Amino acid sequence: MNVFIFLTQAFNGLSLFTILLLMSLGLAVVFGLMGVINMAHGELMTLGAYTTYLTARFFGQFLQGWMDYYLLIAIPLAFVVCFAAGYGLERGFVRFFYRRPLDTLLATWGLSLILQQTYRSVFGAQEVSVPLAPWLAGAWQPMPGLDLPINRIFIVGLTLVVAFLVYLLFFRTRVGLRARAVTQHRAMSSAVGINTGQVDATVFALGAGLAGIAGAVFTMIGSTNPGTGQAYVVDAFVVVVFGGVASLVGTVASSFTIAQFQTVLEYVTSNTMAKVAVLALVVFALYIRPSGLFSPKTRS
C-alpha cells in the first residue's frame, strides 16, 4: 500500500466516520439518558434521507433557479422533520416502555418494521437518489496522485460543526445541564424541580434530529431505500457501547477508530471480514474495559 492509497483509504474512513458519528451521537444521548435501545433509530435516518429527496424534487419542479442550493435547505429541514417525529414518538409511544429494556427493544424493533413498510408504500422499494450540487462536484488535489472528493470534504466539515454544536448544547446551556443532571440521578433531578419527562422528550427528539442530518448527509454519497437505516444502526450501537455509554467524547473516539479500522481492512480483505474483525476488536476491548473506552467516573 503506497502513501497515496493509504491517504485515500484514511479519507474514506473519515467519510464512514461522519455517518457513524452523526448516528451514534443521537443514540448516545438517548441511551445514556433513558437507557432506551431504540431499534427504530435507523428509520429516522431514512426519514432524513427521504426528506432530502423530497426537497430536491420540490426545488427541481418549483425553484429550478435555486436548485444548486437545495441542500442548504434540505439539511436543516431533515433535522426539523426528524426532531418533530422523534418528539411525537417519545410522547406517544416510547415513554410507555421506560424501565422495561426488553419491551423497549421489541417495541422499537416492531416500530422499525412498520416504518420500513410505510416507506415502501409511499416511495416504493426501489432506490432513489438526489442530484449533487455543482459546487460539491469534482475533487480537490492537494498533491499529484491524491484526489479528495469535495462532497466528502463538505460532509466532514459539516459533521465537525454538528458535533461542536452538540458539545455546546450539553456543556454550555441550561438544557444540557438538566439533561446531564437527569442522566446522573433522575430521582434527585425530579426532586429539585426538573421536569424529567420534558427532558426525556427533548433529548429523544434531538437524537432523532441528528439521525435526520445523518440521512441528509448519506444522500450525498449513496442512494436511499427503505432499508438504508438498518445498514448503520447496528454499527452505531457498537460505537456507543465501545466508546462508553453517555460519553460524547467516547462516541467521537469510538466512531473514528472503528471507521478507520474497518475501511483499511475492507481494502486489505473484504467487507465481511472487516466487520468480523471490528466486532472481534470491540469484544476484546470490552472484555478489558466493560464500561467502554471513556466510562464516566462514579463513586463506589
Side-chain angles (χ1 to χ4, degrees):
M1 182 183 296
N2 61 42
V3 64
F4 295 113
I5 295 178
F6 175 79
L7 292 175
T8 301
Q9 292 303 313
F11 187 75
N12 291 336
L14 282 179
S15 300
L16 177 60
F17 158 73
T18 58
I19 302 296
L20 286 181
L21 179 59
L22 290 172
M23 284 285 289
S24 302
L25 279 177
L27 280 177
V29 297
V30 172
F31 191 29
L33 176 69
M34 296 173 280
V36 172
I37 303 176
N38 181 19
M39 294 301 295
H41 195 73
E43 278 57 55
L44 293 170
M45 171 187 168
T46 307
L47 178 60
Y50 277 124
T51 301
T52 305
Y53 167 70
L54 292 177
T55 304
R57 290 195 59 181
F58 177 83
F59 271 73
Q61 292 183 10
F62 302 104
L63 298 172
Q64 293 185 2
W66 296 90
M67 186 62 189
D68 293 348
Y69 306 100
Y70 81 90
L71 199 60
L72 301 180
I73 302 298
I75 293 176
L77 185 60
F79 174 82
V80 171
V81 169
C82 291
F83 184 95
Y87 192 91
L89 285 176
E90 197 281 335
R91 290 287 84 187
F93 184 78
V94 176
R95 71 188 180 99
F96 299 107
F97 298 96
Y98 287 162
R99 293 175 293 278
R100 295 156 59 187
L102 182 59
D103 292 346
T104 304
L105 178 67
L106 294 175
T108 54
W109 179 60
L111 177 62
S112 73
L113 296 179
I114 294 173
L115 290 176
Q116 286 183 48
Q117 188 56 47
T118 301
Y119 297 149
R120 288 190 181 93
S121 300
V122 175
F123 299 100
Q126 71 278 5
E127 294 186 342
V128 298
S129 59
V130 300
L132 186 64
W135 54 279
L136 291 175
W140 175 51
Q141 191 176 55
M143 62 181 69
L146 180 61
D147 296 323
L148 305 180
I150 295 177
N151 65 325
R152 292 178 183 264
I153 295 175
F154 174 80
I155 292 172
V156 172
L158 174 65
T159 302
L160 294 178
V161 170
V162 171
F164 180 68
L165 292 177
V166 170
Y167 168 80
L168 292 180
L169 176 66
F170 277 94
F171 293 96
R172 293 294 184 271
T173 67
R174 294 188 64 84
V175 173
L177 180 63
R178 293 190 183 99
R180 288 186 288 120
V182 174
T183 300
Q184 294 178 14
H185 205 301
R186 177 176 292 271
M188 184 62 69
S189 300
S190 179
V192 298
I194 296 177
N195 187 341
T196 57
Q198 186 62 41
V199 171
D200 289 339
T202 302
V203 171
F204 191 91
L206 175 64
L210 292 174
I213 296 178
V217 165
F218 177 80
T219 61
M220 300 170 60
I221 59 177
S223 54
T224 305
N225 62 69
T228 294
Q230 283 299 309
Y232 289 92
V233 67
V234 175
D235 292 340
F237 272 114
V238 171
V239 167
V240 171
V241 175
F242 184 46
V245 176
S247 173
L248 297 182
V249 175
T251 301
V252 175
S254 176
S255 300
F256 181 81
T257 302
I258 290 177
Q260 293 293 345
F261 192 66
Q262 179 172 320
T263 303
V264 172
L265 285 180
E266 284 178 356
Y267 178 79
V268 176
T269 57
S270 64
N271 183 45
T272 302
M273 291 301 299
K275 287 186 176 295
V276 171
V278 168
L279 185 59
L281 171 66
V282 171
V283 170
F284 178 74
L286 292 178
Y287 177 78
I288 299 175
R289 293 182 61 88
S291 299
L293 295 178
F294 293 84
S295 58
K297 295 180 180 179
T298 57
R299 293 181 180 179
S300 60

